[in-house]
Amino acid sequence: MKKVPYRNQFSKILGLSLILFLLFASPLTAQDATVDSSVTEAAAGGGDAANGKALFNQNCAACHALNRKMTGPALANVEGRLSEDEGLAKEWLYSWIKNSPSMIKSGDAYANKVYAEYNQAAMTAFPTLSDGDIDDILAYTAAPPPTAPASAAVDGQSGVNGSGGSSGVSNEIILGALVLVFGLLVIMLLLVNKTLQRIAQANGIVVEKENAEKRTPIWKAFAQNQFLVLVTTIFLLLGSAYFAYGWMMQVGIDQGYAPIQPIHYSHKIHAGDNKIECKYCHSSARVSKTSGIPSLNVCMNCHKSIYEYAGNPEGPSKEDIENGYTNEFYTGEIKKLYKAVGWDEENQKYTGESQPVEWVRIHNLPDFAYFNHSQHVSVAGVECQTCHGPVEEMEIMYQYSPLTMGWCIDCHRQTNVKVEGNEYYEKIHAELSKKYGVDNLTAAQLGGLECGKCHY
């Protein structure tokens, strides 16, 4: 009986097939076909709807929307509705927009009806708007809303309105076909291997696995070398001590901590895109020890009128889409705010049924450490970004700085005291500058390293 070595070629072929499958089965994603939509221009009394949109957003959008009530009534096709329902001509709108309080005082019936219906909230007068400007605004309000483009192939690619069109189906078919081919290949290799073994047995050939040459295991050779064992032991002890020290020094440090809040708040949109100053919301940072959590009424100062997120003109970025930060997502978070504060969108009033929002605290110093925001913000003039990092770029707020004792001490040693316009520091600054022989004093030289300053 003849014996031949068996090198397990089947497993190598199977492994090679798996590699080829993974290479060819890379994710196939259809490119998004974006369709630009523009405001439909409609001639209403010779007005320019495009210019009217700009004027509407600048003067009217704070209190009015096209298709829903806000502080004032909905303005979609307002000229046509007033003409049909109330018999009012365009001249009435000219007078109302330019000086509504005067029309209310004159006893105009419809003017007083609107005034009473909307809680006697007087409309801002716009005497600077010309009749042509008002015509443009009315043209914009009369323009039909842009229709959503249907899913269609654009430049050979399928549209992405809705579920992704036929492109997603094609990807699934291709991936399924590759899986089927790979499965058939595996079955064929199994059958061929089994057939070859039967042929070998029928011809009296015994297939044996090839034995590797006997040699000393690497672990035994290492254990027999005392020098290598000694060096490795010393290296492991030093490495363990280094990592143990590093781990223990991080106890209580929450740098990078970014909890998920009950209502998603994007500092990137508010402080970055819309340039809202930090101390508008965190107003107590100017006068108090803490910066404070803004009440929901502060949010409603803007979101009473901003009821949906329109996003940037160029649309959400690829990164935002991957993270789920779409216009619909942000609009949903605004609805959470309305629910918490008890705001009735339809009737534009508070219901009185509010719910507390359990915000998760991010920056938290130990109880034995004293820090005063007003001393740093108002007296020292320290910018918020100095400690909190580039807040205007953060989608999710996180702890930027370590907030350790060493970090604070380094800042006090490097930061000069601001004495301009502060008579309190003039005399002591002059004496200490003479003592230390410097022109500018640091916070440390002014006593910023004394234990009692922060630990009381």
Side-chain angles (χ1 to χ4, degrees), residues 75-324:
L75 296 184
N77 195 25
V78 61
E79 180 185 356
R81 288 189 287 108
L82 287 180
S83 176
E84 295 176 3
D85 300 341
E86 305 294 335
L88 299 176
K90 184 187 293 185
E91 285 71 20
W92 187 93
L93 282 170
Y94 290 158
S95 301
W96 172 257
I97 294 172
K98 292 180 180 181
N99 195 352
S100 59
S102 175
M103 295 190 67
I104 295 173
K105 290 180 180 179
S106 68
D108 183 274
Y110 188 70
N112 281 276
K113 176 183 177 182
V114 174
Y115 181 64
E117 181 180 352
Y118 288 89
N119 302 317
Q120 296 185 344
M123 175 180 166
T124 304
F126 295 95
T128 58
L129 290 178
S130 65
D131 291 350
D133 292 335
I134 297 176
D135 285 340
D136 292 345
I137 295 174
L138 294 177
Y140 169 66
T141 61
T147 57
S151 300
V154 179
D155 295 333
Q157 299 174 355
S158 298
V160 293
N161 298 322
S163 62
S166 60
S167 178
V169 177
S170 300
N171 292 340
E172 294 177 359
I173 293 176
I174 294 173
L175 188 59
L178 290 174
V179 172
L180 180 61
V181 171
F182 178 72
L184 293 175
L185 180 61
V186 171
I187 294 173
M188 290 174 60
L189 290 174
L190 289 172
L191 294 175
V192 169
N193 182 62
K194 191 172 183 180
T195 302
L196 291 175
Q197 288 182 357
R198 288 179 178 176
I199 294 174
Q201 291 176 359
N203 289 278
I205 299 174
V206 178
V207 180
E208 293 182 348
K209 292 186 178 181
E210 187 176 25
N211 295 323
E213 296 181 1
K214 293 184 178 180
R215 58 185 178 183
T216 304
I218 188 171
W219 64 270
K220 185 178 290 186
F222 175 80
Q224 292 174 354
N225 191 321
Q226 296 181 358
F227 176 75
L228 286 178
V229 172
L230 178 63
V231 171
T232 303
T233 302
I234 295 175
F235 176 78
L236 289 176
L237 288 175
L238 292 176
S240 300
Y242 172 79
F243 286 107
Y245 175 79
W247 178 82
M248 288 186 289
M249 289 300 293
Q250 294 300 315
V251 173
I253 297 178
D254 295 324
Q255 188 175 14
Y257 177 54
I260 302 300
Q261 302 291 354
I263 298 178
H264 181 86
Y265 181 88
S266 173
H267 280 80
K268 179 181 177 182
I269 292 176
H270 292 81
D273 296 342
N274 295 314
K275 310 297 182 184
I276 299 176
E277 207 235 341
C278 299
K279 292 183 283 292
Y280 174 78
C281 299
H282 301 283
S283 56
S284 59
R286 299 187 183 98
V287 295
S288 173
K289 174 184 174 182
T290 62
S291 62
I293 300 175
S295 66
L296 297 184
N297 285 334
V298 175
C299 304
M300 290 300 293
N301 287 341
C302 298
H303 282 288
K304 185 178 178 181
S305 300
I306 304 174
Y307 54 88
E308 63 180 355
Y309 180 72
N312 295 320
E314 61 271 17
S317 64
K318 181 179 179 182
E319 182 181 359
D320 289 340
I321 294 176
E322 291 176 352
N323 293 324

Side-chain angles (χ1 to χ4, degrees), residues 388-404:
H388 295 292
V391 177
E392 67 278 3
E393 300 175 3
M394 297 181 186
E395 180 65 38
I396 297 178
M397 185 66 187
Y398 64 92
Q399 182 175 318
Y400 176 81
S401 302
L403 303 183
T404 60

